[in-house]
Amino acid sequence: MYLENLVVDAVDPRRVGRFWEAALGGETLTDEPEGFETRLTVEGGPVLDVCFQRVPDLPSEQPRLHLDLLGGEQQAQMVDRLLGLGARHLDIGQHDVPWVVLADPEGNPFCVMEEREAYAGTGPVAALPFDGADPDRDAAFWSWLTGWVDADGVAPRTLRHPSLRGPLLELCPEPVPKGPAKNRLHLDVRLDAGEDPDEVAAGIAARGGRALPALAPGLPWRLYADPSGNEFCMLPART
């Protein structure tokens, strides 16, 4: 299996998707009213598709997954560029921190990060902070699910693509337990050729995850929750 998509619920997928494509320098894959997809390729590292799917309205709960963008020495200039693309400053109680918190055109929070040694080779997305009830347990689960490996000496508990390039997946202690609402952002993994989806499902359950009801009949992917209740999709192998 491998991590393929970061999926974002959006009332206006084109508007939000075009903002993020400009912010990240992605390559357009799909540009339609019901969905926008852009591809982020890290040289020598992973390929991550960022997908925006239409929903009737956004959940009120705070996202448990967000993007930290690489600002570094150009942090101030990047913030100005993002504001020009349609972002706005956002106060989430961060007080005096070295990063800058912004919101995208639909209010999704994200951060523009300062220079950090750990961000070497990440590309435009420095990290994907992901809330969970037990970061060590969740790190073991997501490492098995994606093949990503521990990033030594990085706090909080962090995984990275085996190439040691591309964004960090930071497993963070959740401020509050997962509520009943669907996460606004989630991850998709895809099976490799020859992998048995039922065997993978058994592995998910054995590691504390669980299957969730399908959102609609006939969909080719399966929906699961990780041990902390965060939704993800398992996509079939490509033919």
Side-chain angles (χ1 to χ4, degrees):
M1 289 173 290
Y2 57 95
L3 180 60
E4 179 167 288
N5 299 330
L6 168 64
V7 183
V8 183
D9 289 348
V11 174
D12 187 341
R14 274 182 162 161
R15 180 185 179 214
V16 185
R18 288 171 178 173
F19 166 85
W20 280 104
E21 181 165 273
L24 302 178
E27 171 194 358
T28 305
L29 300 178
T30 304
D31 186 352
E32 298 176 354
E34 295 301 311
F36 186 97
E37 297 177 306
T38 186
R39 174 160 291 171
L40 178 62
T41 302
V42 178
E43 185 176 357
V47 175
L48 184 65
D49 294 343
V50 188
C51 310
F52 302 85
Q53 61 182 12
R54 184 181 295 280
V55 294
D57 45 49
L58 296 177
S60 58
E61 294 184 9
Q62 286 297 313
R64 290 167 60 88
L65 174 64
H66 70 270
L67 285 79
D68 284 349
L69 303 191
L70 182 65
E73 296 179 354
Q74 304 299 313
Q75 183 187 52
Q77 294 92 321
M78 174 171 282
V79 168
D80 287 343
R81 185 173 73 86
L82 293 165
L83 293 173
L85 291 173
R88 59 179 173 84
H89 285 282
L90 185 65
D91 184 356
I92 56 172
Q94 65 267 28
H95 303 299
D96 186 18
V97 293
W99 56 87
V100 179
V101 181
L102 301 176
D104 74 9
E106 286 196 349
N108 297 302
F110 66 97
C111 301
V112 182
M113 304 304 291
E114 77 284 4
E115 187 73 24
R116 293 188 190 181
E117 183 179 352
Y119 295 156
T122 62
V125 179
L128 297 168
F130 198 10
D131 293 345
D134 184 335
D136 288 335
R137 177 199 62 191
D138 292 345
F141 179 87
W142 281 97
S143 179
W144 169 79
L145 194 67
T146 64
W148 287 28
V149 299
D150 276 300
D152 294 333
V154 180
R157 185 72 186 275
T158 299
L159 302 177
R160 197 168 193 183
H161 188 267
S163 65
L164 301 184
R165 298 185 63 80
L168 308 177
L169 182 63
E170 297 178 346
L171 287 307
C172 305
E174 61 187 16
V176 296
K178 172 79 167 65
K182 176 180 176 289
N183 283 350
R184 192 184 306 184
L185 286 78
H186 72 266
L187 301 174
D188 289 347
V189 295
R190 185 175 292 280
L191 297 177
D192 276 318
E195 286 188 298
D196 185 332
D198 292 329
E199 290 183 3
V200 173
I204 290 170
R207 291 165 175 81
R210 68 183 191 278
L212 297 175
L215 298 177
L219 294 176
W221 57 83
R222 300 187 186 186
L223 185 60
Y224 295 91
D226 74 4
S228 289
N230 296 304
E231 302 91 351
F232 67 94
C233 295
M234 184 176 74
L235 310 179
R238 295 190 183 279
T239 57

